[in-house]
Amino acid sequence: MRTTTRLGVATAALAATALALTGCAAGSSSGSSTTAATAQSASGPKVDLSGVCPATVVVQTDWNPEGEHGHLYQMLGPDPQIDASGKTVTGDLYANGKSTGVKLEIRAGGPAIGYSKVSSQMYQDKSITLGYVSTDEAVQFSGNLPTTSVFAENDTSPMAIMWDPKTYPKVDSIAGLGKALAKDGGVVRYFNGAAYMTYLEQSGTLPKSVLDGSYDGTPSKFVSAGGKDAQQGFATAEPYIYQNQVAAWGKKVDYALISSTGWNPYPEAMSVRSGDLTKLTPCLQKLVPVMQQADVDYLKAPQATNDLITKLVQQYNNGWTYDSKVGAFAAAQMVKLGIAKDTDGYIGSVDDQRMQDFIEKAKPVFAGSGDVKSDLKASDLYTNEFLDKQIGLGK
């Protein structure tokens, strides 16, 4: 979940880089006429969503605009309207270079919604059509805030633990890092309360003695430790930021994905309230393939969308810093590391056995917290029925 983990990139970049993006005054303004829509392929047929989808498809994200959300911003048509005070952007929803006849409103999450859970936000505000709900959140609140994933745009979470390769040259895994830290007296600094860290401790991957939940989002402790300590991060951001934008560090970091340990949720899956699935089916039958294609288009040519994301970050002006260089790195990493990839020959599907295995791992982690459905099964949390098997990165 981004509301506690993504804050690290925001404040780290804010506190330690000379890259200060200029914010604009609150209010509404038009986006650039050169947007993601102009980068879409216009070779496909016109898609008409009017009549089957809401007049405005509202998507609640879990953080500020960033490269991992590129597939969403890719669907915005020319001249989207930016509401800087409300932290939203609205424009024609485009597919194949043409308007679909409905609007798309993308809402920022994290600080914009008081760091609340997306699933909670979806149940408080029924105007939200879809929201970013990672598998761990879906499991945790499956009892009282049930959601169903309809498109897993990323197959693996970019969440990682990073370390200094000069201090730990032989480390090549999180388990190996834990042993090295225990020997040298180092720690893994992370945001307290992270579910994945509970799993890493319970599974024996990291000993309790190296866990330090005091991470405050800034690079100061990592830098001052001189390479002795490790830290949570995102493989799509921190490796670039720490080498290029954190002047006090200015060198490479090594990292390993949390997914490599067996804690492998589908991150930020596009989800609906489970009770609305039947009602939204006519819309989702047409909309989900549009989202799939937008994801492919973004990953193959991300520049225009990254420029829009940068503009939104500038105008939202809430302390989050992000530029097109980080966005380009994120898009490349998503493909390189298999964070975004075709599964079963197409993009966006969920594997039933993997989902069921994750449920079994997550139940002990969330014992006594949240509201896990007692008889929860994989099919409660997702459906692949709306995906077009002809759309993928390898097509």
Side-chain angles (χ1 to χ4, degrees):
M1 175 178 126
R2 296 268 195 233
T3 54
T4 57
T5 55
R6 236 343 170 188
L7 185 61
V9 180
T11 52
L14 179 65
T17 78
L19 181 66
L21 298 175
T22 303
C24 297
S28 296
S29 65
S30 294
S32 169
S33 59
T34 304
T35 67
T38 62
Q40 292 182 8
S41 169
S43 60
K46 178 178 173 57
V47 177
D48 185 4
L49 299 179
S50 62
V52 293
C53 288
T56 299
V57 174
V58 179
V59 179
Q60 177 63 63
T61 70
D62 60 351
W63 194 246
N64 295 295
E66 58 184 347
E68 290 89 328
H69 302 175
H71 68 107
L72 269 185
Y73 296 98
Q74 181 77 24
M75 293 189 292
L76 284 169
D79 301 312
Q81 298 297 305
I82 302 171
D83 179 355
S85 60
K87 308 297 185 287
T88 67
V89 59
T90 306
D92 290 336
L93 198 161
Y94 262 50
N96 301 324
K98 311 173 187 72
S99 174
T100 61
V102 301
K103 298 286 186 180
L104 172 63
E105 177 183 316
I106 304 172
R107 300 179 181 179
I113 56 174
Y115 302 98
S116 67
K117 308 265 188 183
V118 171
S119 51
S120 176
Q121 197 75 10
M122 291 172 67
Y123 274 87
Q124 291 175 26
D125 185 349
K126 296 300 181 68
S127 70
I128 297 171
T129 313
L130 299 121
Y132 277 168
V133 182
S134 298
T135 307
D136 44 359
E137 181 180 332
V139 171
Q140 184 178 10
F141 297 101
S142 53
N144 60 346
L145 301 172
T147 54
T148 303
S149 163
V150 296
F151 172 47
E153 69 278 3
N154 283 332
D155 185 72
T156 302
S157 172
M159 173 62 75
I161 293 177
M162 66 183 197
W163 64 88
D164 177 25
K166 290 187 177 180
T167 304
Y168 301 109
K170 296 182 180 181
V171 169
D172 60 2
S173 69
I174 292 176
L177 176 65
K179 293 177 182 178
L181 291 170
K183 180 180 178 181
D184 291 358
V187 299
V188 178
R189 200 163 283 110
Y190 66 99
F191 276 107
N192 195 35
Y196 73 87
M197 195 58 78
T198 302
Y199 168 78
L200 293 181
E201 180 186 354
Q202 289 182 352
S203 64
T205 305
L206 289 177
K208 187 176 182 178
S209 62
V210 307
L211 304 185
D212 182 345
S214 69
Y215 182 49
D216 61 2
T218 72
S220 58
K221 292 182 179 179
F222 183 83
V223 171
S224 64
K228 183 179 180 180
D229 295 342
Q231 182 177 286
Q232 70 159 69
F234 285 79
T236 46
E238 267 88 351
Y240 179 88
I241 290 172
Y242 272 67
Q243 183 174 357
N244 299 285
Q245 298 183 346
V246 178
W249 184 256
K251 54 187 176 181
K252 291 183 178 180
V253 296
D254 272 353
Y255 58 88
L257 294 174
I258 300 297
S259 62
S260 67
T261 68
W263 183 261
N264 194 19
Y266 290 91
E268 301 179 320
M270 299 290 289
S271 304
V272 300
R273 291 174 292 271
S274 296
D276 290 344
L277 184 61
T278 299
K279 178 181 69 175
L280 287 172
T281 288
C283 172
L284 295 170
Q285 287 172 336
K286 290 188 173 184
L287 176 59
V288 170
V290 171
M291 294 192 292
Q292 287 178 273
Q293 189 61 55
D295 197 14
V296 171
D297 290 345
Y298 169 72
L299 291 169
K300 290 184 175 181
Q303 184 62 52
T305 298
N306 285 338
D307 288 345
L308 174 60
I309 287 171
T310 300
K311 181 171 184 176
L312 293 172
V313 169
Q314 291 173 339
Q315 294 206 20
Y316 291 175
N317 192 30
N318 66 351
W320 167 248
T321 62
Y322 200 89
D323 65 15
S324 293
K325 291 181 179 180
V326 182
F329 177 80
Q333 286 285 85
M334 281 189 276
V335 176
K336 177 183 176 181
L337 300 178
I339 291 168
K341 65 179 181 181
D342 294 344
T343 304
D344 301 322
Y346 57 100
I347 201 162
S349 66
V350 168
D351 180 79
D352 191 81
Q353 188 59 57
R354 173 179 156 188
M355 181 70 85
Q356 190 61 51
D357 290 346
F358 183 82
I359 290 172
E360 297 310 311
K361 292 174 183 176
K363 281 182 177 179
V365 171
F366 296 124
S369 66
D371 182 23
V372 181
K373 184 180 178 182
S374 59
D375 57 346
L376 183 65
K377 54 187 182 295
S379 58
D380 294 328
L381 301 180
Y382 82 97
T383 178
N384 290 331
E385 66 179 296
F386 306 117
L387 296 168
D388 186 334
K389 295 183 180 181
Q390 301 305 310
I391 301 175
L393 290 167
K395 304 296 184 181

